[in-house]
Amino acid sequence: AFETVFHQTPFDVHALRAQLAALVGAPPETLAFTRNTTEGMNVVARGLELRPGDEILLTTQEHVGGRCCWELVAARHGLVLTQFPPPVPAPSEDALFEAWTSHVGPKTRVLSIQHVFFSTGAIQPVRRLAAWARERGIITVVDGAHPPGMLALDIQSLGCDFYASSPHKWLLAPKGSGFLYISPEWLDRLWPLIASGGWDDLALKGDRFDHVGTRNDSLLVGFQAAVGFHNAIGSDRVERRCRGLATRLDVGLRAQPGVRVVSPAAPELRSAMVSFEVDGRTGTEMQQRLWAMGPVRVRHVGEDNLDYTRLSTHIYNTPEEVDRVVGMVGEIARTG
């Protein structure tokens, strides 16, 4: 056991920071540990100095964890929150890029971008958007809940200002373990969300944002184990496996009459999540039917008046399981 009543095993948080930095492509001093993406997004939203009338731009398909932080600061400080509908299914990287740039106005100060849409699994052109935004003095904040453990990641090369994530998803870390990347130019400028000893010691860099009082370091021990497990396989192999199975799933679902896939058809835009609709069936019904037939664990995407069924493929899935699920969906679509 990591911790008992009388003893706690020493834990080297700086070693974990270095290991995580190597995995996600960021200097160790730019990383802070959080509980999840939601907390990381809130650290950024509450720590930026925005002025009344400044605009935050995001899509209509945001997860609440990446949207509500902006709603709060907009309501509190007189900011403008603008949402636009992204193209679904996303036809191309150009279409996604142009959807963003066409909605940017003279008062746009922040782009809040999901790296991978939780709703459809579409991969957004973060690197391209961040470069475009930087030229115009616009801050880029990335909701990166899904990529770590799914996609090979190099955050610093993306060029974004902030990147928040939840490794308990695809990296298989314990729930309650997250991280936030703060670009070097923002490390000394962003206000911490929680103030404790050293909150104003700029020499601490990302570690300054970790001083949040007593926390459960056993979660970080589990986080470190998850990083080690992932590294034993390799990010490139993990991505090929996850996305390859998703392509198999996508092709199979598109061949089923009465099934409409809303995830991108282009493999370069498709992550390891495939979302779809079935004629005559609600997402809730699909969730219940697939659980009874499988059981198959699905995500019903019901936010913002959407009604998608989302399936995800991970390293522990097999091609045979993918084919079986496709058959189940086809049977439901045929029998109504």
Side-chain angles (χ1 to χ4, degrees):
F2 170 73
E3 187 172 342
T4 67
V5 174
F6 301 105
H7 174 71
Q8 178 173 306
T9 303
F11 177 66
D12 188 349
V13 70
H14 300 294
L16 172 57
R17 185 176 277 109
Q19 293 163 345
L20 177 63
L23 175 62
V24 302
E29 67 273 12
T30 64
L31 298 175
F33 293 110
T34 62
R35 287 176 294 182
N36 46 50
T37 304
T38 302
E39 185 170 76
M41 294 294 289
N42 273 271
V43 171
V44 178
R46 304 287 290 276
L48 293 173
E49 291 188 342
L50 300 173
R51 300 176 179 177
D54 284 347
E55 180 185 57
I56 300 109
L57 183 65
L58 60 167
T59 75
T60 55
Q61 292 201 9
E62 302 300 310
H63 189 278
V64 290
R67 185 190 74 225
C68 292
C69 56
W70 301 117
E71 292 177 346
L72 186 152
V73 295
R76 184 177 182 184
H77 299 297
L79 310 178
V80 177
L81 191 66
T82 300
Q83 295 181 261
F84 68 92
V88 178
S92 66
E93 179 185 295
D94 285 346
L96 286 168
F97 178 77
E98 289 164 7
W100 278 96
T101 56
S102 65
H103 286 88
V104 171
K107 293 190 176 181
T108 305
R109 180 69 172 135
V110 176
L111 304 185
S112 184
I113 309 164
Q114 281 183 91
H115 193 168
V116 171
F117 276 114
F118 88 98
S119 53
T120 65
I123 302 173
Q124 297 207 75
V126 173
R127 180 178 290 105
R128 192 172 167 189
L129 285 169
W132 186 90
R134 186 174 296 272
E135 292 176 353
R136 291 157 178 80
I138 299 172
I139 301 165
T140 48
V141 185
V142 180
D143 173 342
H146 289 280
M150 178 211 291
L151 307 178
L153 193 59
D154 188 349
I155 292 176
Q156 196 164 37
S157 76
L158 291 176
C160 57
D161 294 298
F162 304 96
Y163 194 104
S165 191
S166 292
H168 75 264
K169 294 180 181 290
W170 294 81
L171 197 61
L172 310 179
K175 289 182 178 179
S177 51
F179 74 86
L180 172 66
Y181 163 79
I182 305 169
S183 61
E185 53 266 48
W186 279 101
L187 275 173
D188 296 346
R189 298 166 58 193
L190 188 71
W191 291 92
L193 179 64
I194 297 175
S196 188
W199 74 269
D200 56 349
D201 184 355
L202 301 184
L204 293 175
K205 301 301 180 184
D207 196 38
R208 182 165 66 99
F209 297 85
D210 282 358
H211 293 195
V212 296
T214 303
R215 67 181 174 192
N216 185 359
D217 280 354
S218 63
L219 297 176
L220 296 180
V221 175
F223 191 171
Q224 189 172 44
V227 171
F229 174 75
H230 182 88
N231 285 338
I233 302 170
S235 293
D236 290 338
R237 291 179 67 196
V238 168
E239 179 174 344
R240 286 197 302 270
R241 174 76 172 187
C242 294
R243 295 180 75 181
L245 289 172
T247 294
R248 186 184 186 102
L249 176 62
D250 178 85
V251 171
L253 290 174
R254 290 180 190 276
Q256 305 303 311
V259 177
R260 185 177 82 91
V261 176
V262 295
S263 295
E268 64 271 17
L269 296 181
R270 184 171 59 247
S271 62
M273 299 188 290
V274 181
S275 295
F276 60 95
E277 299 172 316
V278 175
D279 290 345
R281 289 285 183 180
T282 67
T284 300
E285 289 174 315
M286 290 301 300
Q287 185 178 39
Q288 294 170 346
R289 285 290 302 276
L290 287 170
W291 182 257
M293 294 171 74
V296 179
R297 176 70 168 86
V298 308
R299 167 68 148 88
H300 172 222
V301 181
E303 291 89 339
D304 301 309
N305 297 315
L306 302 176
D307 194 24
Y308 304 156
T309 301
R310 192 188 80 193
L311 289 166
S312 303
T313 53
H314 209 338
I315 55 173
Y316 44 70
N317 294 124
T318 66
E320 293 74 21
E321 288 175 334
V322 169
D323 294 344
R324 185 177 170 217
V325 169
V326 168
M328 291 179 190
V329 174
E331 180 182 341
I332 296 170
R334 287 192 302 274
T335 58

